[in-house]
Structures are given as C-alpha cells and as structure tokens.
Amino acid sequence: MQQNLSELISTRLSHDIIGNIGAVANAAELLEEGDMDFLDDIKSILKTSSGVLTARMKFFRLAFGLNNANLENQDILKNTAAAYLETLGSRNHCIRLEWSPIPSAYGRLALLGVMCIADTLIRGGCISVRPYQRGIAVVHNDDAQVSAEKAAALKNVVNSGDAEDNAQFAPAAYMLSLVGESKMNFYLVSQSGLGFVFE
C-alpha cells in the first residue's frame, strides 16, 4: 500500500505541474530564437507560469512533504491554501477560501481536504476550513458549483478506502492513510457536494 500511495502522489503532483513547466520551456525557446516581437508574451508566460508553479509547489510541500513548523502556523497554512486555489479558478469563477484558526494537529488534513474539494468544483465557489466540535470541518459553501460525478467518485474512494490506482484521488488516499495512522474519527458531511469532518 505504501509504495502504491507514493506512486499515486508522485503521478498526481507531476500532472499538476507539468503544464506550466512546459509553458516555461516554450518561453525559453522563444527567447533563444531572439524574436523580440514576442517579448511581452514571453514575459507574461514566465510570470504566470512561475507564479502557478511556486504556489502549487509550496502547497504540495506542506500537504505531502515532511512535517515542519509551518504546519503549525495558521497564517502560512491559510495563505498557502488560498494561493493554491487561485491557480485553479479563473478570473470569472475563482475559488475562495475561508479559514478560521484550527488546532495545529489538523493542518495537513485541512490542506488535503481543501485539495479534494477543489477537485470537484467546476465554476468556483468557496471552501471553508473551521473548528468543529472536537476537531475541524472542511466543506464547500452553498454557492459552490460541484460536479456531481466527481463528488460521487471521490465519496466512493473515501467510503471504500480504495483509490483504484487513479492518481486523481491521491489526496484522498493520503488523507485516509493519515486518518488511519492517527486513529481519529473521520466522516463525510452529508450535503449535495462534498465535505469532511476530522476529530
């Protein structure tokens, strides 16, 4: 299971950054050709792609990397998650984040929950992270437009505990692994889309 989980995570993270790495490579090729007619386009590509890569890599490091002190810093968690969500939404359909201070033990799970829910949103909305009873809740707000198909597939992974070698579900698989190791209670929120409670 551990090897399979590592493969799922590696594949998912590679998928999520390869497009912008390709854009940077294309911009570098245009620079090498020396055609200054494209200079403004090249600058725009480099600025956008490097921004996306930076935001996603910071998020992935916290969500999937080794434990570090930043997981206990609420401002870093909130800002990192918000910056990640900005790389997913569009100008007209942004994904917003509401983050209330949570116990530090739940920091990584909160990030993974945000990533899972973001995967199901199709036209923006808002994801909320907040304390809930003895733990935390990670849910989307009512204004979020959710893909019923994606939400159902993710719920099936969570309920069955089997990601079926589909790298799309790497965040959920890792989330379930962490929950199992910590022996905490975990359940899906019953609503039209998707939400998680950890306690």
mmCIF file with all atom_site columns, all heavy atoms in Angstrom, residues 140-152:
data_model
loop_
_atom_site.group_PDB
_atom_site.id
_atom_site.type_symbol
_atom_site.label_atom_id
_atom_site.label_alt_id
_atom_site.label_comp_id
_atom_site.label_asym_id
_atom_site.label_entity_id
_atom_site.label_seq_id
_atom_site.pdbx_PDB_ins_code
_atom_site.Cartn_x
_atom_site.Cartn_y
_atom_site.Cartn_z
_atom_site.occupancy
_atom_site.B_iso_or_equiv
_atom_site.pdbx_formal_charge
_atom_site.auth_seq_id
_atom_site.auth_comp_id
_atom_site.auth_asym_id
_atom_site.auth_atom_id
_atom_site.pdbx_PDB_model_num
ATOM 1  N N   . HIS A 1 140 ? -17.407 22.882 1.307   1.00 0.00 ? 140 HIS A N   1
ATOM 2  C CA  . HIS A 1 140 ? -17.645 23.978 0.368   1.00 0.00 ? 140 HIS A CA  1
ATOM 3  C C   . HIS A 1 140 ? -18.930 24.682 0.792   1.00 0.00 ? 140 HIS A C   1
ATOM 4  O O   . HIS A 1 140 ? -19.822 24.087 1.407   1.00 0.00 ? 140 HIS A O   1
ATOM 5  C CB  . HIS A 1 140 ? -17.728 23.482 -1.077  1.00 0.00 ? 140 HIS A CB  1
ATOM 6  C CG  . HIS A 1 140 ? -18.888 22.575 -1.355  1.00 0.00 ? 140 HIS A CG  1
ATOM 7  N ND1 . HIS A 1 140 ? -20.190 23.012 -1.426  1.00 0.00 ? 140 HIS A ND1 1
ATOM 8  C CD2 . HIS A 1 140 ? -18.939 21.243 -1.577  1.00 0.00 ? 140 HIS A CD2 1
ATOM 9  C CE1 . HIS A 1 140 ? -20.991 22.007 -1.688  1.00 0.00 ? 140 HIS A CE1 1
ATOM 10 N NE2 . HIS A 1 140 ? -20.263 20.906 -1.778  1.00 0.00 ? 140 HIS A NE2 1
ATOM 11 N N   . ASN A 1 141 ? -19.015 25.944 0.458   1.00 0.00 ? 141 ASN A N   1
ATOM 12 C CA  . ASN A 1 141 ? -20.210 26.707 0.794   1.00 0.00 ? 141 ASN A CA  1
ATOM 13 C C   . ASN A 1 141 ? -21.301 26.493 -0.243  1.00 0.00 ? 141 ASN A C   1
ATOM 14 O O   . ASN A 1 141 ? -21.065 25.916 -1.309  1.00 0.00 ? 141 ASN A O   1
ATOM 15 C CB  . ASN A 1 141 ? -19.866 28.186 0.930   1.00 0.00 ? 141 ASN A CB  1
ATOM 16 C CG  . ASN A 1 141 ? -19.068 28.461 2.200   1.00 0.00 ? 141 ASN A CG  1
ATOM 17 O OD1 . ASN A 1 141 ? -18.680 27.544 2.918   1.00 0.00 ? 141 ASN A OD1 1
ATOM 18 N ND2 . ASN A 1 141 ? -18.828 29.724 2.476   1.00 0.00 ? 141 ASN A ND2 1
ATOM 19 N N   . ASP A 1 142 ? -22.474 26.995 0.066   1.00 0.00 ? 142 ASP A N   1
ATOM 20 C CA  . ASP A 1 142 ? -23.636 26.729 -0.785  1.00 0.00 ? 142 ASP A CA  1
ATOM 21 C C   . ASP A 1 142 ? -23.506 27.306 -2.190  1.00 0.00 ? 142 ASP A C   1
ATOM 22 O O   . ASP A 1 142 ? -24.151 26.832 -3.118  1.00 0.00 ? 142 ASP A O   1
ATOM 23 C CB  . ASP A 1 142 ? -24.906 27.284 -0.128  1.00 0.00 ? 142 ASP A CB  1
ATOM 24 C CG  . ASP A 1 142 ? -25.287 26.521 1.137   1.00 0.00 ? 142 ASP A CG  1
ATOM 25 O OD1 . ASP A 1 142 ? -24.846 25.360 1.270   1.00 0.00 ? 142 ASP A OD1 1
ATOM 26 O OD2 . ASP A 1 142 ? -26.012 27.085 1.972   1.00 0.00 ? 142 ASP A OD2 1
ATOM 27 N N   . ASP A 1 143 ? -22.679 28.345 -2.348  1.00 0.00 ? 143 ASP A N   1
ATOM 28 C CA  . ASP A 1 143 ? -22.574 28.969 -3.667  1.00 0.00 ? 143 ASP A CA  1
ATOM 29 C C   . ASP A 1 143 ? -21.652 28.208 -4.611  1.00 0.00 ? 143 ASP A C   1
ATOM 30 O O   . ASP A 1 143 ? -21.544 28.549 -5.786  1.00 0.00 ? 143 ASP A O   1
ATOM 31 C CB  . ASP A 1 143 ? -22.110 30.421 -3.551  1.00 0.00 ? 143 ASP A CB  1
ATOM 32 C CG  . ASP A 1 143 ? -20.697 30.544 -2.981  1.00 0.00 ? 143 ASP A CG  1
ATOM 33 O OD1 . ASP A 1 143 ? -20.225 29.563 -2.365  1.00 0.00 ? 143 ASP A OD1 1
ATOM 34 O OD2 . ASP A 1 143 ? -20.079 31.608 -3.148  1.00 0.00 ? 143 ASP A OD2 1
ATOM 35 N N   . ALA A 1 144 ? -20.985 27.180 -4.124  1.00 0.00 ? 144 ALA A N   1
ATOM 36 C CA  . ALA A 1 144 ? -20.072 26.409 -4.971  1.00 0.00 ? 144 ALA A CA  1
ATOM 37 C C   . ALA A 1 144 ? -20.855 25.541 -5.947  1.00 0.00 ? 144 ALA A C   1
ATOM 38 O O   . ALA A 1 144 ? -21.881 24.961 -5.600  1.00 0.00 ? 144 ALA A O   1
ATOM 39 C CB  . ALA A 1 144 ? -19.172 25.534 -4.110  1.00 0.00 ? 144 ALA A CB  1
ATOM 40 N N   . GLN A 1 145 ? -20.361 25.470 -7.175  1.00 0.00 ? 145 GLN A N   1
ATOM 41 C CA  . GLN A 1 145 ? -20.957 24.585 -8.166  1.00 0.00 ? 145 GLN A CA  1
ATOM 42 C C   . GLN A 1 145 ? -20.094 23.332 -8.257  1.00 0.00 ? 145 GLN A C   1
ATOM 43 O O   . GLN A 1 145 ? -18.923 23.404 -8.615  1.00 0.00 ? 145 GLN A O   1
ATOM 44 C CB  . GLN A 1 145 ? -21.065 25.283 -9.517  1.00 0.00 ? 145 GLN A CB  1
ATOM 45 C CG  . GLN A 1 145 ? -22.018 26.470 -9.486  1.00 0.00 ? 145 GLN A CG  1
ATOM 46 C CD  . GLN A 1 145 ? -22.313 26.995 -10.863 1.00 0.00 ? 145 GLN A CD  1
ATOM 47 O OE1 . GLN A 1 145 ? -22.284 26.251 -11.850 1.00 0.00 ? 145 GLN A OE1 1
ATOM 48 N NE2 . GLN A 1 145 ? -22.608 28.280 -10.961 1.00 0.00 ? 145 GLN A NE2 1
ATOM 49 N N   . VAL A 1 146 ? -20.704 22.221 -7.925  1.00 0.00 ? 146 VAL A N   1
ATOM 50 C CA  . VAL A 1 146 ? -19.965 20.968 -7.762  1.00 0.00 ? 146 VAL A CA  1
ATOM 51 C C   . VAL A 1 146 ? -20.303 20.003 -8.883  1.00 0.00 ? 146 VAL A C   1
ATOM 52 O O   . VAL A 1 146 ? -21.456 19.885 -9.299  1.00 0.00 ? 146 VAL A O   1
ATOM 53 C CB  . VAL A 1 146 ? -20.313 20.328 -6.403  1.00 0.00 ? 146 VAL A CB  1
ATOM 54 C CG1 . VAL A 1 146 ? -19.545 19.030 -6.195  1.00 0.00 ? 146 VAL A CG1 1
ATOM 55 C CG2 . VAL A 1 146 ? -20.048 21.300 -5.274  1.00 0.00 ? 146 VAL A CG2 1
ATOM 56 N N   . SER A 1 147 ? -19.287 19.302 -9.379  1.00 0.00 ? 147 SER A N   1
ATOM 57 C CA  . SER A 1 147 ? -19.509 18.224 -10.338 1.00 0.00 ? 147 SER A CA  1
ATOM 58 C C   . SER A 1 147 ? -20.039 17.012 -9.570  1.00 0.00 ? 147 SER A C   1
ATOM 59 O O   . SER A 1 147 ? -19.324 16.432 -8.755  1.00 0.00 ? 147 SER A O   1
ATOM 60 C CB  . SER A 1 147 ? -18.203 17.858 -11.046 1.00 0.00 ? 147 SER A CB  1
ATOM 61 O OG  . SER A 1 147 ? -18.327 16.607 -11.701 1.00 0.00 ? 147 SER A OG  1
ATOM 62 N N   . ALA A 1 148 ? -21.280 16.659 -9.810  1.00 0.00 ? 148 ALA A N   1
ATOM 63 C CA  . ALA A 1 148 ? -21.889 15.534 -9.102  1.00 0.00 ? 148 ALA A CA  1
ATOM 64 C C   . ALA A 1 148 ? -21.113 14.246 -9.372  1.00 0.00 ? 148 ALA A C   1
ATOM 65 O O   . ALA A 1 148 ? -20.940 13.413 -8.476  1.00 0.00 ? 148 ALA A O   1
ATOM 66 C CB  . ALA A 1 148 ? -23.347 15.371 -9.530  1.00 0.00 ? 148 ALA A CB  1
ATOM 67 N N   . GLU A 1 149 ? -20.616 14.105 -10.598 1.00 0.00 ? 149 GLU A N   1
ATOM 68 C CA  . GLU A 1 149 ? -19.864 12.898 -10.962 1.00 0.00 ? 149 GLU A CA  1
ATOM 69 C C   . GLU A 1 149 ? -18.552 12.807 -10.198 1.00 0.00 ? 149 GLU A C   1
ATOM 70 O O   . GLU A 1 149 ? -18.205 11.756 -9.640  1.00 0.00 ? 149 GLU A O   1
ATOM 71 C CB  . GLU A 1 149 ? -19.597 12.897 -12.467 1.00 0.00 ? 149 GLU A CB  1
ATOM 72 C CG  . GLU A 1 149 ? -18.841 11.670 -12.957 1.00 0.00 ? 149 GLU A CG  1
ATOM 73 C CD  . GLU A 1 149 ? -18.594 11.710 -14.455 1.00 0.00 ? 149 GLU A CD  1
ATOM 74 O OE1 . GLU A 1 149 ? -19.163 12.587 -15.144 1.00 0.00 ? 149 GLU A OE1 1
ATOM 75 O OE2 . GLU A 1 149 ? -17.824 10.860 -14.939 1.00 0.00 ? 149 GLU A OE2 1
ATOM 76 N N   . LYS A 1 150 ? -17.817 13.940 -10.140 1.00 0.00 ? 150 LYS A N   1
ATOM 77 C CA  . LYS A 1 150 ? -16.543 13.938 -9.428  1.00 0.00 ? 150 LYS A CA  1
ATOM 78 C C   . LYS A 1 150 ? -16.744 13.753 -7.921  1.00 0.00 ? 150 LYS A C   1
ATOM 79 O O   . LYS A 1 150 ? -15.980 13.052 -7.262  1.00 0.00 ? 150 LYS A O   1
ATOM 80 C CB  . LYS A 1 150 ? -15.787 15.235 -9.701  1.00 0.00 ? 150 LYS A CB  1
ATOM 81 C CG  . LYS A 1 150 ? -15.268 15.347 -11.122 1.00 0.00 ? 150 LYS A CG  1
ATOM 82 C CD  . LYS A 1 150 ? -14.507 16.649 -11.330 1.00 0.00 ? 150 LYS A CD  1
ATOM 83 C CE  . LYS A 1 150 ? -13.962 16.742 -12.744 1.00 0.00 ? 150 LYS A CE  1
ATOM 84 N NZ  . LYS A 1 150 ? -13.243 18.024 -12.972 1.00 0.00 ? 150 LYS A NZ  1
ATOM 85 N N   . ALA A 1 151 ? -17.772 14.393 -7.376  1.00 0.00 ? 151 ALA A N   1
ATOM 86 C CA  . ALA A 1 151 ? -18.049 14.261 -5.947  1.00 0.00 ? 151 ALA A CA  1
ATOM 87 C C   . ALA A 1 151 ? -18.418 12.826 -5.605  1.00 0.00 ? 151 ALA A C   1
ATOM 88 O O   . ALA A 1 151 ? -17.959 12.275 -4.600  1.00 0.00 ? 151 ALA A O   1
ATOM 89 C CB  . ALA A 1 151 ? -19.160 15.216 -5.535  1.00 0.00 ? 151 ALA A CB  1
ATOM 90 N N   . ALA A 1 152 ? -19.228 12.191 -6.448  1.00 0.00 ? 152 ALA A N   1
ATOM 91 C CA  . ALA A 1 152 ? -19.636 10.812 -6.197  1.00 0.00 ? 152 ALA A CA  1
ATOM 92 C C   . ALA A 1 152 ? -18.437 9.868  -6.265  1.00 0.00 ? 152 ALA A C   1
ATOM 93 O O   . ALA A 1 152 ? -18.301 8.949  -5.450  1.00 0.00 ? 152 ALA A O   1
ATOM 94 C CB  . ALA A 1 152 ? -20.696 10.389 -7.214  1.00 0.00 ? 152 ALA A CB  1
#
